Amino acid sequence: MQINDFLNHTTEWLKGTGPHSDIVISSRVRLARNIEKSSFPQWANKKQSKDILDIIEVAAKRIDYLKETTIFHLADMDAVDKQFLIERHLMSHEHAQKTDSKAVIVDDEEIISIMVNEEDHIRAQVMQSGFNLFEGWNIMNKIDDFLSQELPFAYSSTWGYLTACPTNTGTGMRGSVMLHLPALVMSRQINQVLAAISKLQFTARGLYGEGTQASGNFFQVSNQVSLGHSENEILENLNGLIRQIIEQETQAREIMLNQNRAMLEDKIHRSYGIIQNAHIISSQETIELLSMVRLGSDLGIIKDMDRARVNELFIMILPAHLQKLEKRKLSSQERDIKRAELIRSRLGK
Amino acid sequence: MQINDFLNHTTEWLKGTGPHSDIVISSRVRLARNIEKSSFPQWANKKQSKDILDIIEVAAKRIDYLKETTIFHLADMDAVDKQFLIERHLMSHEHAQKTDSKAVIVDDEEIISIMVNEEDHIRAQVMQSGFNLFEGWNIMNKIDDFLSQELPFAYSSTWGYLTACPTNTGTGMRGSVMLHLPALVMSRQINQVLAAISKLQFTARGLYGEGTQASGNFFQVSNQVSLGHSENEILENLNGLIRQIIEQETQAREIMLNQNRAMLEDKIHRSYGIIQNAHIISSQETIELLSMVRLGSDLGIIKDMDRARVNELFIMILPAHLQKLEKRKLSSQERDIKRAELIRSRLGK
């Protein structure tokens, strides 16, 4: 697989399928693993990092379950390609900062991604469209089993899996769910919901993970603690919390439809009208308008809307995707114009 | 003619025809006249006012040139009907305040309107679409001649025609031109233009005359002084000023097209997208968006746009027009919804 092949592919997490996909964009399970008796990436020297990359690359190649994957070495990639993988949620922003002996292994369906020499030697993630944490965990569990047959993981019978940052020690697992919560935001109930999430030792973040702001009414909810509970307990707790949030969003949507239908229709149709007609538009505004269009489609206010087409736009309009589509570097001003062109051609009247 | 018949009629000043109709909406000439030896309306008692109305009504009926007119007695009209005539610029807001012995005579084409017992006994106006002051003056001159054959006007050889307010004394004439100046507003040159207008002893007002704010980039420019110059001199001066403003707006449009085409297209298409899709919209926002749509059509950015249809919307969306269309009273909230419905049906995709 070449990196450009992903351009014509709808990434797993934006397929718009799976349970509760009107509210849950995607579910993600991530594991942190390290090779025993080796320095964590931050403290490893050049040689050590290179060795870690080599043994993980060799191990991955031996695993039949991972045979439809491609390894991308960050040192060989330009800035746009790296940003492209970040925008597709296939690797973290942090991973792209220093590129020496770093890689990411991605499967053709973009369900699995394994970062090598990020904060830990291995950061593996499995993405699923919709509310599908346990299916994600099943796949992740298999990958973990296969990797552990090939690689000696750093493990303590007291602490569990050892990780560079103590917050990941234990299971090394993080489950997270990307939610679309426009009705809770519009009805101003979102702050209560976020407070409850934090009280229950879960975290809510924006579309692009740690440190990013919630935009377009998207919230990524994940467990904070990975120690002292089994993977299943952690995922059960997260699952229960998400069920409650889905219920609250559903109720908020119903109340809004019953009590403020005209306001809601106005907001949704205006957003659709603007996005179909703009000639200059930022990513931020696009995401906010698409959020309203998606809500309109979910509530039946906008008819005949292909959710996959809307979902795809969420990443196609991002800087690296736009530049790959255009096959050249674009200034910020040029991108705002090309973005509007792309949206008009995809959501055209 | 019944008042409701006007609903299906495009009023003269919004026809979108005539010279320079891309920038000049309409031209208006107004005369103030009073009957000699009679108190001005403000100081007249009931009996005197009634007598004035009677003699003017009788005179108008005798004038063949005015045979296709209807007289509306304000005392017989409800609030919506009065507001309806104000919105069509057929009478002033002030005229509708106290209705006793007040009337307005309107011709079927809505070119001529004669208010009886407004600030003066007679306030006659002639409207023309586009930049057409002298054609308006020709018609007004005839009406003045016919009226003066029937009625003894208050006239002083020193001062000219006597009026209730000294600013109208002399010719009693005011010429005014309604301009659409979006490029001068967007390029922030408008304040200079307004300062020049005021320095030259002309006045610029908003869409609904004295005391109203400029909205939708519409400006009504008229002479302040009516004393000391002939009607022709006053109109020539006004005409020259308007020519200069047209020239400046034309240049500003060209510069914007050359230097900021993307920004301009964005603003115009967004406005069009919003107005075609909104479900709740105020008059003020509608007028501002229609201003951009009109500009888009004038610049060829929006194709296949029927200017008369856009122009008609400028008044169809106003409160009294909406209520007459719906044949019932509407609250402000109901109007905002009905207004959006009307626009969608008229500018529908």
Side-chain angles (χ1 to χ4, degrees):
Chain A
M1 195 99 171
Q2 300 287 309
I3 199 160
N4 286 344
D5 296 336
F6 291 126
L7 253 190
N8 304 313
H9 180 248
T10 301
T11 187
E12 169 67 19
W13 66 280
L14 281 175
K15 281 198 172 135
T17 55
H20 294 286
S21 56
D22 54 337
I23 293 173
V24 180
I25 308 293
S26 60
S27 307
R28 188 178 75 116
V29 175
R30 183 266 274 160
L31 277 190
R33 293 289 184 262
N34 289 281
I35 312 299
E36 65 170 12
K37 294 171 193 149
S38 310
S39 303
F40 291 128
Q42 224 184 319
W43 296 277
N45 62 30
K46 270 200 162 193
K47 167 81 170 66
Q48 290 168 323
S49 293
K50 173 82 172 62
D51 289 347
I52 289 288
L53 174 58
D54 287 346
I55 66 159
I56 294 173
E57 186 167 354
V58 168
K61 276 187 182 144
R62 277 205 298 263
I63 297 169
D64 201 46
Y65 193 74
L66 297 179
K67 73 170 183 280
E68 298 196 339
T69 60
T70 310
I71 185 159
F72 298 100
H73 291 92
L74 270 57
D76 305 338
M77 294 166 74
D78 66 16
V80 171
D81 280 349
K82 283 182 282 188
Q83 184 60 30
F84 179 74
L85 293 183
I86 294 170
E87 290 172 359
R88 295 183 84 77
H89 289 197
L90 294 171
M91 72 178 196
S92 65
H93 181 71
E94 293 69 30
H95 198 42
Q97 298 316 302
K98 288 180 188 162
T99 57
D100 221 30
S101 295
K102 285 184 175 184
V104 58
I105 299 166
V106 180
D107 81 306
D108 295 356
E109 293 304 308
E110 299 178 72
I111 293 172
I112 302 163
S113 116
I114 302 171
M115 289 185 284
V116 181
N117 283 328
E118 207 241 24
E119 188 179 284
D120 297 295
H121 295 144
I122 290 175
R123 282 283 180 101
Q125 74 168 22
V126 172
M127 299 288 289
Q128 290 286 291
S129 185
F131 189 27
N132 235 338
L133 276 172
F134 291 101
E135 178 59 21
W137 172 239
N138 286 340
I139 298 170
M140 181 53 88
N141 215 0
K142 277 182 207 156
I143 295 169
D144 187 32
D145 287 349
F146 290 126
L147 285 171
S148 65
Q149 286 162 18
E150 302 289 336
L151 298 164
F153 285 152
Y155 183 83
S156 136
S157 52
T158 315
W159 299 109
Y161 291 99
L162 302 178
T163 54
C165 176
T167 58
N168 293 311
T169 298
T171 59
M173 191 199 70
R174 180 156 286 164
S176 59
V177 176
M178 179 85 76
L179 296 152
H180 185 223
L181 306 175
L184 287 173
V185 172
M186 282 192 271
S187 63
R188 291 157 207 254
Q189 296 172 70
I190 192 70
N191 288 333
Q192 272 171 274
V193 174
L194 294 177
I197 289 171
S198 154
K199 225 175 190 172
L200 294 165
Q201 302 233 293
F202 291 90
T203 316
R205 294 170 176 143
L207 205 46
Y208 280 83
E210 207 152 352
T212 66
Q213 274 216 313
S215 64
N217 310 308
F218 292 104
F219 296 87
Q220 196 173 306
V221 177
S222 54
N223 59 300
Q224 258 178 344
V225 178
S226 62
L227 185 71
H229 296 277
S230 73
E231 291 87 346
N232 258 310
E233 281 171 344
I234 293 170
L235 291 180
E236 282 293 0
N237 283 340
L238 178 59
N239 214 55
L241 173 66
I242 301 296
R243 278 199 186 288
Q244 284 179 45
I245 301 175
I246 293 172
E247 182 56 35
Q248 288 174 303
E249 171 69 15
T250 306
Q251 275 180 22
R253 289 183 185 189
E254 273 165 24
I255 290 169
M256 219 180 312
L257 267 179
N258 289 331
Q259 295 177 1
N260 276 313
R261 192 178 182 100
M263 178 282 289
L264 196 61
E265 289 184 337
D266 184 55
K267 199 165 164 59
I268 286 167
H269 285 293
R270 278 175 183 249
S271 300
Y272 200 29
I274 293 171
I275 208 166
Q276 286 182 314
N277 286 283
H279 278 57
I280 301 176
I281 195 164
S282 69
S283 312
Q284 182 65 26
E285 185 185 4
T286 304
I287 289 170
E288 276 156 22
L289 294 174
L290 283 177
S291 163
M292 283 298 108
V293 171
R294 205 192 129 100
L295 177 65
S297 165
D298 290 341
L299 296 178
I301 288 173
I302 296 177
K303 318 274 186 211
D304 308 323
M305 169 60 102
D306 182 350
R307 191 193 283 163
R309 261 212 309 183
V310 175
N311 274 355
E312 251 200 315
L313 274 180
F314 277 105
I315 55 171
M316 293 313 258
I317 55 90
L318 295 176
H321 277 75
L322 277 180
Q323 292 179 84
K324 282 194 109 36
L325 279 175
E326 289 292 316
K327 302 189 177 76
R328 66 183 179 96
K329 282 235 165 215
L330 299 171
S331 70
S332 168
Q333 283 84 346
E334 286 174 318
R335 290 202 300 270
D336 288 352
I337 291 172
K338 286 292 173 193
R339 178 176 298 116
E341 271 178 34
L342 175 72
I343 297 167
R344 291 203 309 281
S345 78
R346 300 240 170 161
L347 295 181
K349 288 162 288 185
Chain B
M1 195 99 169
Q2 300 287 310
I3 198 160
N4 286 344
D5 296 335
F6 290 127
L7 254 189
N8 304 312
H9 181 246
T10 301
T11 188
E12 169 67 21
W13 66 281
L14 282 173
K15 282 202 171 130
T17 55
H20 294 285
S21 57
D22 54 337
I23 292 174
V24 181
I25 309 293
S26 59
S27 307
R28 189 177 75 117
V29 176
R30 183 265 277 161
L31 277 190
R33 293 289 183 264
N34 289 279
I35 311 299
E36 65 173 8
K37 295 174 192 145
S38 310
S39 303
F40 292 129
Q42 225 183 319
W43 295 277
N45 63 30
K46 271 199 163 196
K47 166 80 170 66
Q48 290 169 323
S49 293
K50 173 82 172 61
D51 289 348
I52 290 287
L53 174 57
D54 287 345
I55 66 159
I56 293 174
E57 188 169 352
V58 167
K61 277 186 184 147
R62 275 203 300 262
I63 297 171
D64 201 50
Y65 194 73
L66 296 178
K67 72 168 185 281
E68 298 195 343
T69 60
T70 310
I71 185 159
F72 298 100
H73 291 94
L74 269 59
D76 305 337
M77 294 167 75
D78 66 15
V80 171
D81 279 350
K82 283 182 280 185
Q83 184 59 30
F84 178 75
L85 293 184
I86 294 170
E87 289 172 359
R88 295 182 85 78
H89 289 196
L90 294 172
M91 71 179 195
S92 66
H93 180 70
E94 292 68 30
H95 198 42
Q97 297 316 302
K98 289 181 191 160
T99 56
D100 220 32
S101 296
K102 285 183 173 183
V104 57
I105 299 165
V106 180
D107 80 307
D108 296 356
E109 293 303 308
E110 299 178 68
I111 293 172
I112 302 163
S113 116
I114 303 170
M115 290 186 284
V116 181
N117 282 328
E118 207 239 24
E119 189 179 286
D120 295 296
H121 294 144
I122 290 176
R123 282 283 181 101
Q125 75 169 19
V126 171
M127 301 287 288
Q128 289 288 289
S129 185
F131 189 27
N132 236 338
L133 275 172
F134 291 102
E135 178 59 22
W137 172 240
N138 285 339
I139 298 171
M140 182 53 89
N141 215 0
K142 277 181 209 159
I143 295 169
D144 187 32
D145 287 348
F146 290 126
L147 284 170
S148 65
Q149 286 163 18
E150 302 290 335
L151 297 163
F153 286 152
Y155 184 84
S156 133
S157 54
T158 316
W159 299 108
Y161 291 99
L162 303 179
T163 54
C165 176
T167 58
N168 292 310
T169 298
T171 60
M173 191 199 69
R174 178 158 285 164
S176 59
V177 176
M178 178 85 75
L179 295 151
H180 185 223
L181 306 175
L184 288 173
V185 172
M186 283 192 271
S187 64
R188 290 154 207 255
Q189 296 172 69
I190 192 69
N191 288 334
Q192 271 172 274
V193 174
L194 294 178
I197 289 171
S198 152
K199 225 176 191 173
L200 294 165
Q201 302 232 291
F202 291 90
T203 316
R205 296 171 174 143
L207 205 46
Y208 281 84
E210 206 152 351
T212 67
Q213 274 218 314
S215 64
N217 310 308
F218 292 102
F219 297 86
Q220 196 174 305
V221 177
S222 55
N223 58 300
Q224 260 178 343
V225 178
S226 62
L227 185 70
H229 296 278
S230 73
E231 289 87 347
N232 257 311
E233 280 170 346
I234 294 169
L235 291 179
E236 282 292 0
N237 283 341
L238 177 59
N239 212 55
L241 173 67
I242 299 297
R243 279 199 185 285
Q244 283 180 44
I245 301 175
I246 293 171
E247 183 54 35
Q248 287 174 305
E249 170 69 16
T250 305
Q251 275 181 21
R253 289 183 184 188
E254 272 165 25
I255 290 169
M256 219 179 315
L257 267 178
N258 289 332
Q259 296 179 359
N260 276 312
R261 191 179 182 99
M263 178 280 289
L264 197 61
E265 288 184 337
D266 184 54
K267 199 164 165 59
I268 286 168
H269 284 293
R270 280 175 183 247
S271 301
Y272 201 28
I274 293 170
I275 207 166
Q276 285 181 315
N277 286 281
H279 277 57
I280 301 177
I281 196 164
S282 68
S283 312
Q284 181 63 27
E285 186 184 4
T286 304
I287 289 171
E288 276 157 21
L289 294 173
L290 282 177
S291 162
M292 284 299 110
V293 171
R294 204 191 130 101
L295 177 65
S297 163
D298 289 340
L299 296 177
I301 288 173
I302 296 178
K303 318 272 187 213
D304 307 324
M305 169 60 99
D306 181 351
R307 189 193 284 163
R309 264 216 304 188
V310 174
N311 274 356
E312 252 202 312
L313 274 179
F314 277 105
I315 54 171
M316 290 316 256
I317 54 90
L318 295 176
H321 277 75
L322 278 179
Q323 294 179 84
K324 281 193 112 29
L325 278 176
E326 288 293 316
K327 300 189 178 75
R328 66 183 179 94
K329 282 235 162 212
L330 298 170
S331 71
S332 168
Q333 284 84 346
E334 287 174 317
R335 290 202 299 268
D336 287 354
I337 292 173
K338 287 291 172 193
R339 177 177 298 116
E341 272 178 34
L342 175 73
I343 296 167
R344 292 202 307 282
S345 79
R346 300 241 171 160
L347 294 182
K349 288 165 289 189

